[in-house]
Amino acid sequence: MGKQLRSQAWFGQTGRNGFIYRAWMKNQGIPDDEFGKPIIGICNTWSELTPCNAHFRELAESVKKGVIQAGGFPVEFPVMSLGETLMKPTTMLYRNLASMDVEESIRANPIDGVVLLCGCDKTTPSLIMGAASVDLPTIVVSGGAMLTGRYKGKPLATSDVWRIADKVTMGELEDSEIREMESCFGRSKGHCMVMGTASTMAVMTEALGMSLPGCAAIPAVDSRKKVIAQMSGREIMKMVEDDRKVSDVLTREAFENAIVVNSATGGSSNFVVHMLAIAGRVGIDLTLDDFDTIGSQVPLLTNLQPAGEFYMEDFYYAGGLPVVVKELSHLLKETPAVNGKSIVENSSDAENYDKNVLAEFKEPFQENAGIVVVYGNLCERGAVIKPAAASDELLVHTGKAVVFEDIEDYHARINSKDLQIDGTSVMVLKNAGPKGYPGMAEVGNMALPKQLLEKGITDVVRVSDGRMSGTAFGTTVLHVSPESAVGGTLALVENGDEIILDVPNRTLTLNVTEDELVSRKENWSPPDLGIKRGYIQLYLDHVEQADRGADMDFLVGKSVDVKLRESH
Ligand code: FES
């Protein structure tokens, strides 16, 4: 090791402080000569309340093996775990809090390099955001997807939840059958088994160069996940040796690569808000427009749910992300990944084993698969839509607004016979943004009312300042900025207003005169969320709008080397 190890500021001390730093660690049975080795922190989000990450204790053991094999000293530490399915009101409210936990846990401790165990949706951005703010050598092990569920001989996966919801609305499913489906759904530990947000985040991580090649697609319970965890343990030791830090990997070029890859893999719209937040932590000036400019014309090379047919398991068997990267190599930039090589170099040997799942660039599953950014008086700072998940015939559409003031209003009225709605309507949901929910929940893909489903209508244009689950689909305009809770134009929409969506021309317009909007604004007041304490108050005081990644204003910006004072 050429450079003095950071951990030596603790364990290299003599006298009282050295005694205190080492002696208490020795109560775990650690020999004295371990204290000169690189200390590798394994940041673990294991929790029985986060079932997607339920295998992370085993995964951490594999990482430790790799660290020890390479001559390091692994130390596992817990951080806040964000379980998507259980946490209310939404894990997104806590993404920034978890990132602060990660940042301070790493910074305050004698750690030379970090392995992040990422899985369920928000664990990946929160851990990368936090680690990026400290900027030590860091590698990610993505936990991997669950095995595909099977019910009555057919695959069952997360995207089916939305279809199940429609059947429940129609009274076509008994509760006993739902219980049976649940048992057939969750066949193994691991995150959602489609290209939802967790898989999108795993792909983003690999495309950014923050994990070893191939990591994203390996299923959670495949023995090769343990192998790549072990290899990541070895790799972090090289990163410490070479002093290859997060900021050496997360370059502007790396973000551009990830945008291209996200489009080609049909990634979730949540990708946008998390990428903006991560870029903010390393001082990269990424904007909403970059996603459209760099990614919207990229073709779809994966045939994975929710946009396609297959599942994450199939993605792995077909060759995984290296196949996609190889196909995109002419669009990707040379910039070092965690192992010092570019993602293109890392993927040069990739082979496509199933062209039903992974397409060649010259014969894609779909053209122009990336996320599109629209602007207009309804979203002055932008909004996003994923055309690959939308209905082609609705991408240019004019309709009358059916407004829900908040998610409670939506739930109360959506199946009322009195709801005035038809297939041409535009459903509008207010107060679902970063401040308004609070936490920017995944409610933007409002399920359609029974009266439309009964007519065979399965999609209408929907507009909100919320997000959409990466496993969902529909013609949904999301992340409207500024959000309604801060007085964005969305707050002023009334039932019957005309809304014009024109995706090819990148516009979303509320066809109401400026004078009328000014008059409505005079009568508008922000919602009272009734929260006056704790983290949520801190969040409300400092969270930024979606077009800035919904990070806290005081966490944005290139990390600084904070000098730590002695604790004793
Ligand atoms: Fe954890 Fe879907 S609920 S990834």
Side-chain angles (χ1 to χ4, degrees), residues 218-395:
I218 305 174
V221 293
D222 193 303
S223 57
R224 287 160 289 188
K225 187 57 92 179
K226 288 186 179 171
V227 173
I228 205 158
Q230 204 169 137
M231 300 311 288
S232 302
R234 294 183 192 175
E235 196 64 46
I236 189 63
M237 288 292 292
K238 287 192 213 145
M239 292 180 75
V240 172
E241 172 78 36
D242 297 344
D243 196 26
R244 186 175 303 114
K245 302 186 290 296
V246 176
S247 57
D248 297 317
V249 176
L250 293 185
T251 58
R252 165 90 200 175
E253 290 76 16
F255 283 97
E256 293 184 8
N257 286 348
I259 291 173
V260 171
V261 171
N262 182 67
S263 302
T265 50
S268 153
S269 51
N270 286 320
F271 170 78
V272 177
V273 77
H274 298 318
M275 281 271 286
L276 288 166
I278 295 167
R281 297 297 183 99
V282 282
I284 302 287
D285 184 24
L286 196 70
T287 67
L288 207 47
D289 289 340
D290 287 324
F291 293 84
D292 197 328
T293 313
I294 298 165
S296 64
Q297 315 284 308
V298 175
L300 186 68
L301 302 185
T302 57
N303 183 10
L304 299 172
Q305 292 226 359
E309 250 181 284
F310 294 97
Y311 304 89
M312 285 303 286
E313 246 183 285
D314 306 306
F315 182 36
Y316 181 51
Y317 305 144
L321 193 65
V323 174
V324 179
V325 169
K326 191 175 177 184
E327 288 294 327
L328 294 168
S329 56
H330 58 292
L331 298 177
L332 299 173
K333 307 262 173 73
E334 292 286 326
T335 184
V338 281
N339 64 356
K341 298 181 190 164
S342 73
I343 58 168
V344 174
E345 275 179 280
N346 281 330
S347 306
S348 57
D349 293 337
E351 274 185 64
N352 187 346
Y353 302 115
D354 190 344
K355 291 193 177 156
N356 293 315
V357 179
L358 299 177
E360 292 178 34
F361 188 85
K362 57 181 193 283
E363 241 178 299
F365 294 117
Q366 188 183 327
E367 298 291 349
N368 306 327
I371 285 160
V372 160
V373 179
V374 293
Y375 291 94
N377 65 343
L378 194 43
C379 52
E380 281 150 356
R381 286 168 56 178
V384 303
I385 179 167
K386 188 175 159 190
S391 304
D392 284 347
E393 66 277 13
L394 291 174
L395 292 177

Side-chain angles (χ1 to χ4, degrees), residues 393-420:
E393 66 277 13
L394 291 174
L395 292 177
V396 178
H397 181 79
T398 301
K400 297 264 196 287
V402 175
V403 178
F404 301 98
E405 291 299 321
D406 53 34
I407 196 66
E408 288 75 24
D409 182 34
Y410 162 80
H411 286 307
R413 294 195 297 119
I414 186 63
N415 285 318
S416 158
K417 289 196 180 65
D418 299 332
L419 187 72
Q420 299 291 309

Side-chain angles (χ1 to χ4, degrees), residues 142-212:
S142 296
M146 283 187 251
L147 298 178
T148 310
R150 285 199 86 79
Y151 178 66
K152 293 188 175 172
K154 295 211 175 102
L156 179 66
T158 317
S159 296
D160 294 311
V161 171
W162 313 109
R163 296 180 188 103
I164 291 169
D166 286 347
K167 285 195 170 174
V168 170
T169 304
M170 298 292 287
E172 293 171 3
L173 262 184
E174 295 294 325
D175 196 49
S176 56
E177 187 165 10
I178 292 176
R179 292 282 182 126
E180 182 64 21
M181 290 171 99
E182 290 163 12
S183 306
C184 300
F185 173 91
R187 288 178 55 219
S188 79
K189 294 168 181 173
H191 63 65
C192 289
M193 60 292 254
V194 299
M195 189 53 77
T197 302
S199 300
T200 299
M201 291 293 98
V203 164
M204 174 196 78
T205 301
E206 190 173 326
L208 283 168
M210 285 294 294
S211 64
L212 287 177

Side-chain angles (χ1 to χ4, degrees), residues 52 84-85 120-121 191-192 198:
C52 302
E84 196 65 30
T85 50
C120 194
D121 294 13
H191 63 65
C192 289

Side-chain angles (χ1 to χ4, degrees), residues 529-548:
L529 299 168
I531 298 159
K532 302 260 184 304
R533 71 178 300 277
Y535 166 72
I536 297 177
Q537 185 63 61
L538 180 74
Y539 170 92
L540 288 171
D541 289 344
H542 293 281
V543 72
E544 300 211 281
Q545 289 294 286
D547 66 313
R548 301 263 299 150

